[in-house]
Amino acid sequence: MTKSKENKLVPKLRFPEFKDSGEWEVKEIHKLSEIIKGQQLNKLELSETGTYPCLNGGINPSGYAEKYNSDSDTITISEGGNSCGYVNYMTSKFWLGGHCYKLLPKQGVNKLFYYHLLKHNESRIMKLRVGSGLPNIQQKSLREFKVQYISNPQEQQKIADCLSSLDELITAESKKLEVLKEHKKGLLQQLFPQEGETVPKLRFPEFVNSGEWEVKEIHKLSEIIKGQQLNKLELSETGTYPCLNGGINPSGYAEKYNSDSDTITISEGGNSCGYVNYMTSKFWLGGHCYKLLPKQGVNKLFYYHLLKHNESRIMKLRVGSGLPNIQQKSLREFKVQYISNPQEQQKIADCLSSLDELITAQSQKIEVLKQHKKGLLQGLFPNLNQAEE
């Protein structure tokens, strides 16, 4: 049977010089690369810092060691754990752990092209996982996994160059974002007095002689209101108003709200309890979340940054081992350093909020680049379903 034009295995987006280069093939991974499983490293050889990262099933290194068993510029796929199937490209020497594979491309297979090809198929690779307790991907399943492939070395190189240059741009912009976040972290440490101190290390010139900061309990600065649980039937994955219910991200969306925009929240229960947030839109405040309404004379944005600065201390208020939570009484009595001068509050709020705006803009810029790359991946690699007649 001859394939129709629509079913030909060709990408939607092709560089002009390769538009007449014919169809792509379907290949099993073992025909394109050698697959090597790593070796478990003794826990005594692992530390939080070190020369060589150790990959062992997760997205991030499980630790660091002083020896390596894999060279730089190597493609890896997580073998076990919740992240099994995750495709990575290591730019430095590293230790390949027992729950990770490395893939060494065979002759004629461009390494960076192959990495992007596998990354494009990452969601499909993740479906190879078996087991419920600690899921894993069997080497046999990975060997037989089928991908789209073009043997033309020039076309491989062109695709690799295009996607890798975009990766470099995303990496560069991500570093700028980290610099901004570190700058804000430093300012938070300096614009607010450290625990046990009465004046900050950094003060705006006009407030140098404005006196010491006070220690205040939260209930003297704001009203604390606990949310209401929303019926699960009223929640959906999309909707008008986000529902905050203990986590960092919304637990869902609803068509009604019980809290106005520009509101400070603190998670009450769950692994993220103590997380300080500032909601810029109307939302539903769930039963595992508090909102804090500043009293007269307390600048809202200043108060948010003050609480964010104390977030790690607030998280230490949690009690309970199964589902930790923060009792309202503990939060009411929590003490922070406070300056009553409204002009100084405003100055600190303006400084930190302007930096937040830069961080948000930079984050959005990175997200646009990531979405652009996602679109390119969809366009530069054909849909494998096209191979079916």
Side-chain angles (χ1 to χ4, degrees):
M1 183 184 291
T2 304
K3 295 179 186 176
S4 66
K5 185 177 180 180
E6 290 78 13
N7 287 338
K8 284 186 176 181
L9 192 60
V10 292
K12 292 178 182 178
L13 180 64
R14 209 164 192 179
F15 295 101
E17 61 267 42
F18 306 113
K19 65 179 181 179
D20 299 318
S21 296
E23 289 188 61
W24 288 45
E25 307 169 74
V26 176
K27 292 275 191 180
E28 292 182 338
I29 277 185
H30 72 91
K31 293 181 179 178
L32 299 174
S33 60
E34 184 182 0
I35 303 170
I36 300 171
K37 190 175 180 181
Q39 299 170 292
Q40 207 65 17
L41 200 62
N42 190 307
K43 288 184 179 179
L44 296 176
E45 297 180 88
L46 280 175
S47 62
E48 292 185 2
T49 58
T51 308
Y52 305 107
C54 175
L55 294 194
N56 200 33
I59 292 176
N60 299 311
S62 57
Y64 293 83
E66 292 309 313
K67 60 182 182 180
Y68 67 92
N69 62 0
S70 301
D71 289 322
S72 57
D73 299 311
T74 296
I75 302 165
T76 67
I77 295 180
S78 297
E79 178 267 353
N82 293 328
S83 302
C84 62
Y86 175 74
V87 179
N88 195 17
Y89 189 88
M90 290 299 293
T91 56
S92 64
K93 293 176 180 177
F94 65 101
W95 183 272
L96 184 76
H99 293 293
C100 202
Y101 298 113
K102 64 180 175 184
L103 287 81
L104 306 181
K106 296 185 176 181
Q107 189 172 359
V109 181
N110 181 293
K111 190 181 290 183
L112 281 171
F113 163 79
Y114 191 45
Y115 160 69
H116 291 297
L117 171 62
L118 292 170
K119 196 69 178 176
H120 171 62
N121 285 282
E122 187 177 64
S123 61
R124 292 180 54 237
I125 294 172
M126 286 182 171
K127 291 178 182 177
L128 298 176
R129 60 178 64 182
V130 293
S132 55
L134 185 68
N136 68 92
I137 292 176
Q138 301 291 312
Q139 191 161 342
K140 182 177 184 295
S141 300
L142 191 58
R143 282 177 53 83
E144 296 171 355
F145 184 79
K146 294 177 180 178
V147 294
Q148 320 88 315
Y149 180 72
I150 188 71
S151 59
N152 186 324
Q154 288 77 29
E155 189 166 6
Q156 286 186 26
Q157 187 66 56
K158 193 83 173 183
I159 292 170
D161 290 345
C162 173
L163 292 169
S164 295
S165 63
L166 193 51
D167 274 347
E168 289 172 8
L169 184 56
I170 291 170
T171 298
E173 295 299 333
S174 296
K175 286 179 180 177
K176 290 179 185 177
L177 178 61
E178 286 307 308
V179 168
L180 287 171
K181 286 181 176 180
E182 284 300 312
H183 181 49
K184 186 191 173 186
K185 185 178 178 181
L187 278 178
L188 282 169
Q189 294 295 325
Q190 295 181 72
L191 288 173
F192 296 104
Q194 297 301 301
E195 192 173 0
E197 298 178 358
T198 57
V199 291
K201 292 180 180 177
L202 179 64
R203 211 163 191 180
F204 296 100
E206 60 268 44
F207 306 113
V208 169
N209 299 314
S210 294
E212 296 183 357
W213 288 46
E214 308 169 73
V215 175
K216 293 274 191 179
E217 293 182 339
I218 278 185
H219 72 89
K220 293 182 179 178
L221 300 174
S222 60
E223 183 182 1
I224 303 170
I225 300 171
K226 190 175 180 182
Q228 298 170 293
Q229 207 64 17
L230 200 62
N231 191 306
K232 287 184 179 179
L233 297 176
E234 298 181 86
L235 280 175
S236 61
E237 291 184 5
T238 58
T240 308
Y241 305 108
C243 175
L244 294 194
N245 202 31
I248 292 175
N249 299 310
S251 57
Y253 293 82
E255 292 309 312
K256 61 182 183 181
Y257 68 92
N258 62 0
S259 301
D260 288 323
S261 57
D262 298 312
T263 296
I264 302 165
T265 66
I266 295 180
S267 297
E268 178 267 354
N271 293 328
S272 302
C273 63
Y275 175 74
V276 179
N277 195 15
Y278 189 88
M279 291 298 294
T280 57
S281 64
K282 293 176 179 178
F283 66 101
W284 184 272
L285 183 76
H288 294 293
C289 202
Y290 298 113
K291 64 180 175 184
L292 288 82
L293 307 180
K295 295 186 177 181
Q296 190 172 357
V298 181
N299 180 294
K300 190 181 290 184
L301 281 171
F302 163 79
Y303 191 45
Y304 161 68
H305 291 298
L306 172 62
L307 292 170
K308 197 69 178 176
H309 170 62
N310 285 280
E311 186 177 66
S312 60
R313 290 179 57 233
I314 294 171
M315 286 182 170
K316 291 178 182 177
L317 297 177
R318 60 178 66 183
V319 292
S321 55
L323 185 68
N325 67 92
I326 292 176
Q327 299 292 310
Q328 191 162 341
K329 181 178 184 295
S330 300
L331 191 58
R332 281 176 53 83
E333 297 171 355
F334 184 79
K335 295 176 180 178
V336 293
Q337 308 97 322
Y338 176 74
I339 188 71
S340 59
N341 186 324
Q343 288 77 29
E344 189 166 6
Q345 287 186 25
Q346 187 65 57
K347 193 83 171 182
I348 292 171
D350 290 345
C351 173
L352 293 170
S353 295
S354 64
L355 196 49
D356 274 347
E357 289 172 8
L358 285 175
I359 289 170
T360 298
Q362 186 65 17
S363 298
Q364 290 171 345
K365 184 177 183 180
I366 292 168
E367 188 55 36
V368 168
L369 289 171
K370 286 181 177 179
Q371 288 303 316
H372 180 50
K373 184 190 174 186
K374 184 178 179 181
L376 279 178
L377 283 169
Q378 295 293 328
L380 289 171
F381 295 104
N383 185 344
L384 200 57
N385 292 332
Q386 293 173 247
E388 298 176 359
E389 295 184 358

